[in-house]
Structure formats: structure tokens, C-alpha cells
Amino acid sequence: MKKLVHSLNAAGIEIFADWLKDPKGSAPTAMLDDPSYCVEIAKEFWVDINRVFDTTFELGKYLHEEVFHNVSDPVSLDSNTGMWAWISLAFISSLLSKSSTRNNKPLDLPHYLELSGQTGRRLGYRLIARTAWKLVRLHGPLAEIALGSKKSPWGEMAEQMTSRQEIFAHPSFWAVAFRLYRGPQGELRRGATSQRPASARKDPKNNAGKGGVRRLPSTFRQFDRTYLTRAMSLEQMLQVLPKEYQRWVAQS
């Protein structure tokens, strides 16, 4: 069913937030075209609210290629928090937890709504639908490395690759991460998001957690002191990566 994209007003956002905090019964999707809870936006965009997506990457690809294509003012679209709340509600069935303990339950509030004030600005990257659209728009198929999980609409890879502004839009970072951590069948390589334990830090011979995505941003920060990394090709980046990444390069 095609619906014209709207923006949830304050009353609509409050009702949606209440449901997210205490999800009894079905999501309040009846608000999607109720003028008491939503308002029209400046331009016409249409979505098929019956679409269901196996991964957040698929949702982002749909929004970029079929809904918000040829957008002349992406900054204005990005900042329309009421519209992204509407989008979150429209596709809520694809954005719920898939874990065994919280199956079909919402994740934390910032994954669907932008909170007010400084907290909202700090956690804005977690608004799943908006970030999915932005990443596919910026990085195309490379965005799948962060958004391709079928186990959760927002996995650890998404958190690690979007929480730092210096790498969010960094083309070389995404190309390297895609090469290192994506398996031959599109799966995430085992250990890609592992954290280096405190015990391993005391033992130079212990390689646990080395070369993973948690360490890659700091490697890029160090490189930026010497190289113009945004202008480097993927092969150039792979050649200068430290030794700890070589096993990942060899497997790619």
C-alpha cells in the first residue's frame, strides 16, 4: 500500500514514544495519515508501507533508490526529525528486535526517534531509518558491511561504524572495512567486532581483538597525520595497514 510520506507532529511523536517504551498491542500505525497526528511535508514522496526488509541495508537502499531519489536538499531532509519518526513507524515491523529474548520488541528509543537537546544530537546516528538512508547514499553497496545483519536491525557493526563522525562519511574507511570484514557469502567475518580484552593488552604476543573494526578508526586517525587517506585507493590503504590487520587482508 502506497502512502504519502508525512511528518509526525508533537502529539504523534508522544504516542509513538509511549508505545516504544511499553509496546502493548500493535504499533499505532493508524496515525500515519491521521491529520491529528501528522502533517504534510514540503515535497511529495511515496512509500510502500507493506514492504518488509530482511536487513537495514535493504531498507536504506529502498529509501535512497526508490523514495528519496534525486533529492536536491539532503540536509533539509536529514533534519526533518518528525518525518524520520513517521518513516520509523511506517516500517516498524522491519525495525524490531530479532533476538530470542526480545523478539518483535522495540530497541531503545533513539533508534526510532531523535531525542531533544544534546542527548538527541549525541545519539542521532542511532536513528536507524535515517542513518540507513544516509549510509547508502554516501557509500552505496559498501554500507552493507554495517547494515547487513539479519540478526538485528542495529548490530554491533552498525554501532562501531557510525558512532564516530570522522569515519561516518570517510570513503576509504568504508572500502577497507568492507574488504576486511565481509566474508565470501556476504556474512560478517568472525571476530570482526571483538573487543581486545584487558589481559591481552598486557601480553604483546596475545593477538585477541587485534585488527577488528573497533581498532580501525584509531588506525585511520594515526594515518591522517601522515597520509591524505580520503584520496587513497583501497589497494594503497591495504598496503600501509599495520601488521595486526594482515590476517584479515589475507582472508579477504
Side-chain angles (χ1 to χ4, degrees):
M1 179 189 300
K2 290 272 189 176
K3 279 189 181 291
L4 186 65
V5 175
H6 284 69
S7 175
L8 288 184
N9 61 22
I13 290 174
E14 183 177 1
I15 290 175
F16 187 25
D18 287 343
W19 181 83
L20 290 168
K21 294 172 186 174
D22 187 17
K24 294 178 180 177
S26 300
T29 53
M31 295 194 299
L32 291 173
D33 50 12
D34 188 330
S36 298
Y37 301 108
C38 59
V39 296
E40 294 182 357
I41 60 176
K43 292 190 176 182
E44 283 194 5
F45 301 104
W46 294 85
V47 294
D48 182 354
I49 65 169
N50 290 333
R51 290 282 294 266
V52 177
F53 303 95
D54 288 335
T55 69
T56 298
F57 173 73
E58 292 177 4
L59 171 60
K61 191 170 186 289
Y62 169 70
L63 292 174
H64 173 58
E65 296 181 355
E66 299 185 43
V67 181
F68 302 124
H69 52 280
N70 298 324
V71 173
S72 59
D73 187 5
V75 174
S76 176
L77 200 68
D78 186 332
S79 63
N80 192 336
T81 56
M83 185 200 73
W84 290 110
W86 190 96
I87 293 286
S88 296
L89 178 58
F91 294 108
I92 192 65
S93 62
S94 297
L95 299 174
L96 300 175
S97 174
K98 299 175 184 179
S99 71
S100 57
T101 56
R102 289 188 54 79
N103 190 38
N104 287 327
K105 299 293 184 183
L107 304 177
D108 293 338
L109 210 60
H111 290 301
Y112 310 100
L113 303 169
E114 182 170 306
L115 305 181
S116 60
Q118 186 175 354
T119 301
R121 290 189 292 273
R122 181 170 56 85
L123 299 179
Y125 70 92
R126 288 183 179 169
L127 209 167
I128 299 174
R130 181 174 63 185
T131 292
W133 164 70
K134 290 171 69 173
L135 289 180
V136 175
R137 180 174 170 272
L138 286 168
H139 306 297
L142 299 180
E144 188 175 10
I145 190 63
L147 306 174
S149 173
K150 293 186 177 182
K151 298 179 180 180
S152 173
W154 189 262
E156 187 59 29
M157 202 68 171
E159 180 68 22
Q160 292 300 321
M161 294 187 69
T162 62
S163 59
R164 300 173 178 88
Q165 282 299 312
E166 70 270 19
I167 63 171
F168 189 98
H170 197 307
S172 296
F173 180 90
W174 286 78
V176 169
F178 189 87
R179 172 68 74 86
L180 296 185
Y181 307 125
R182 186 177 186 270
Q185 305 302 320
E187 78 281 8
L188 192 64
R189 291 187 185 278
R190 185 176 180 181
T193 61
S194 296
Q195 186 170 5
R196 187 160 169 77
S199 58
R201 297 173 202 155
K202 301 176 182 178
D203 180 3
K205 296 181 180 181
N206 190 327
N207 293 321
K210 281 190 173 182
V213 72
R214 292 173 182 267
R215 292 171 62 84
L216 194 59
S218 62
T219 298
F220 265 73
R221 281 197 298 273
Q222 294 171 9
F223 279 172
D224 283 336
R225 299 170 185 169
T226 307
Y227 304 105
L228 187 60
T229 57
R230 291 177 181 271
M232 293 175 69
S233 69
L234 171 61
E235 295 307 320
Q236 288 173 325
M237 289 300 310
L238 295 178
Q239 288 175 11
V240 299
L241 283 176
K243 184 179 178 180
E244 69 174 275
Y245 295 97
Q246 293 313 304
R247 74 178 181 92
W248 298 91
V249 175
Q251 294 173 359
S252 66

mmCIF file of all heavy atoms in Angstrom, residues 7-17 36-39 82:
data_model
loop_
_atom_site.group_PDB
_atom_site.id
_atom_site.type_symbol
_atom_site.label_atom_id
_atom_site.label_comp_id
_atom_site.label_asym_id
_atom_site.label_seq_id
_atom_site.Cartn_x
_atom_site.Cartn_y
_atom_site.Cartn_z
ATOM 1 N N SER A 7 5.039 13.898 8.251
ATOM 2 C CA SER A 7 5.874 14.137 9.434
ATOM 3 C C SER A 7 4.984 14.037 10.664
ATOM 4 O O SER A 7 3.913 14.658 10.707
ATOM 5 C CB SER A 7 6.506 15.535 9.349
ATOM 6 O OG SER A 7 7.216 15.832 10.538
ATOM 7 N N LEU A 8 5.399 13.239 11.629
ATOM 8 C CA LEU A 8 4.631 13.166 12.870
ATOM 9 C C LEU A 8 4.748 14.495 13.614
ATOM 10 O O LEU A 8 5.834 15.066 13.716
ATOM 11 C CB LEU A 8 5.138 12.038 13.768
ATOM 12 C CG LEU A 8 4.849 10.595 13.361
ATOM 13 C CD1 LEU A 8 5.351 9.630 14.439
ATOM 14 C CD2 LEU A 8 3.375 10.359 13.099
ATOM 15 N N ASN A 9 3.636 14.978 14.127
ATOM 16 C CA ASN A 9 3.685 16.189 14.955
ATOM 17 C C ASN A 9 4.002 15.796 16.404
ATOM 18 O O ASN A 9 4.239 14.624 16.705
ATOM 19 C CB ASN A 9 2.392 16.991 14.843
ATOM 20 C CG ASN A 9 1.157 16.212 15.312
ATOM 21 O OD1 ASN A 9 1.277 15.247 16.086
ATOM 22 N ND2 ASN A 9 -0.021 16.623 14.874
ATOM 23 N N ALA A 10 4.016 16.772 17.298
ATOM 24 C CA ALA A 10 4.393 16.505 18.692
ATOM 25 C C ALA A 10 3.490 15.468 19.338
ATOM 26 O O ALA A 10 3.959 14.582 20.074
ATOM 27 C CB ALA A 10 4.372 17.809 19.493
ATOM 28 N N ALA A 11 2.197 15.557 19.054
ATOM 29 C CA ALA A 11 1.252 14.593 19.644
ATOM 30 C C ALA A 11 1.512 13.188 19.109
ATOM 31 O O ALA A 11 1.465 12.198 19.857
ATOM 32 C CB ALA A 11 -0.183 15.031 19.349
ATOM 33 N N GLY A 12 1.792 13.094 17.801
ATOM 34 C CA GLY A 12 2.072 11.794 17.202
ATOM 35 C C GLY A 12 3.350 11.181 17.732
ATOM 36 O O GLY A 12 3.408 9.981 18.020
ATOM 37 N N ILE A 13 4.378 12.011 17.869
ATOM 38 C CA ILE A 13 5.641 11.528 18.411
ATOM 39 C C ILE A 13 5.475 11.035 19.845
ATOM 40 O O ILE A 13 6.040 10.010 20.238
ATOM 41 C CB ILE A 13 6.715 12.633 18.331
ATOM 42 C CG1 ILE A 13 7.108 12.860 16.862
ATOM 43 C CG2 ILE A 13 7.939 12.280 19.173
ATOM 44 C CD1 ILE A 13 8.054 14.016 16.647
ATOM 45 N N GLU A 14 4.664 11.739 20.623
ATOM 46 C CA GLU A 14 4.440 11.331 22.010
ATOM 47 C C GLU A 14 3.757 9.967 22.080
ATOM 48 O O GLU A 14 4.142 9.100 22.885
ATOM 49 C CB GLU A 14 3.595 12.379 22.727
ATOM 50 C CG GLU A 14 3.371 12.065 24.196
ATOM 51 C CD GLU A 14 2.588 13.142 24.925
ATOM 52 O OE1 GLU A 14 2.201 14.145 24.281
ATOM 53 O OE2 GLU A 14 2.371 12.989 26.141
ATOM 54 N N ILE A 15 2.762 9.755 21.225
ATOM 55 C CA ILE A 15 2.058 8.461 21.212
ATOM 56 C C ILE A 15 3.003 7.342 20.767
ATOM 57 O O ILE A 15 3.021 6.249 21.353
ATOM 58 C CB ILE A 15 0.825 8.539 20.300
ATOM 59 C CG1 ILE A 15 -0.246 9.428 20.931
ATOM 60 C CG2 ILE A 15 0.259 7.147 20.026
ATOM 61 C CD1 ILE A 15 -1.459 9.676 20.057
ATOM 62 N N PHE A 16 3.784 7.618 19.731
ATOM 63 C CA PHE A 16 4.742 6.621 19.246
ATOM 64 C C PHE A 16 5.772 6.302 20.332
ATOM 65 O O PHE A 16 6.094 5.132 20.581
ATOM 66 C CB PHE A 16 5.410 7.144 17.978
ATOM 67 C CG PHE A 16 6.296 6.153 17.274
ATOM 68 C CD1 PHE A 16 6.123 4.780 17.408
ATOM 69 C CD2 PHE A 16 7.324 6.602 16.447
ATOM 70 C CE1 PHE A 16 6.940 3.871 16.738
ATOM 71 C CE2 PHE A 16 8.156 5.712 15.776
ATOM 72 C CZ PHE A 16 7.962 4.346 15.925
ATOM 73 N N ALA A 17 6.283 7.323 20.989
ATOM 74 C CA ALA A 17 7.269 7.121 22.056
ATOM 75 C C ALA A 17 6.684 6.295 23.194
ATOM 76 O O ALA A 17 7.353 5.407 23.752
ATOM 77 C CB ALA A 17 7.772 8.466 22.576
ATOM 78 N N SER A 36 -4.597 14.546 12.752
ATOM 79 C CA SER A 36 -4.455 14.932 14.157
ATOM 80 C C SER A 36 -3.041 14.672 14.679
ATOM 81 O O SER A 36 -2.628 15.268 15.676
ATOM 82 C CB SER A 36 -5.456 14.157 15.025
ATOM 83 O OG SER A 36 -6.788 14.453 14.651
ATOM 84 N N TYR A 37 -2.319 13.780 13.983
ATOM 85 C CA TYR A 37 -1.012 13.369 14.492
ATOM 86 C C TYR A 37 0.133 13.548 13.489
ATOM 87 O O TYR A 37 1.286 13.312 13.841
ATOM 88 C CB TYR A 37 -1.065 11.897 14.924
ATOM 89 C CG TYR A 37 -2.092 11.650 15.994
ATOM 90 C CD1 TYR A 37 -3.278 10.974 15.712
ATOM 91 C CD2 TYR A 37 -1.902 12.121 17.288
ATOM 92 C CE1 TYR A 37 -4.235 10.755 16.691
ATOM 93 C CE2 TYR A 37 -2.853 11.910 18.277
ATOM 94 C CZ TYR A 37 -4.018 11.230 17.966
ATOM 95 O OH TYR A 37 -4.969 11.021 18.949
ATOM 96 N N CYS A 38 -0.171 13.937 12.277
ATOM 97 C CA CYS A 38 0.904 14.140 11.303
ATOM 98 C C CYS A 38 0.562 15.292 10.368
ATOM 99 O O CYS A 38 -0.608 15.683 10.235
ATOM 100 C CB CYS A 38 1.192 12.869 10.515
ATOM 101 S SG CYS A 38 -0.199 12.220 9.583
ATOM 102 N N VAL A 39 1.599 15.820 9.757
ATOM 103 C CA VAL A 39 1.436 16.955 8.854
ATOM 104 C C VAL A 39 2.150 16.657 7.547
ATOM 105 O O VAL A 39 3.054 15.817 7.485
ATOM 106 C CB VAL A 39 1.999 18.257 9.474
ATOM 107 C CG1 VAL A 39 1.211 18.647 10.714
ATOM 108 C CG2 VAL A 39 3.480 18.091 9.813
ATOM 109 N N GLY A 82 10.591 14.845 12.510
ATOM 110 C CA GLY A 82 9.232 14.326 12.518
ATOM 111 C C GLY A 82 8.989 13.368 11.371
ATOM 112 O O GLY A 82 8.283 12.356 11.515
#
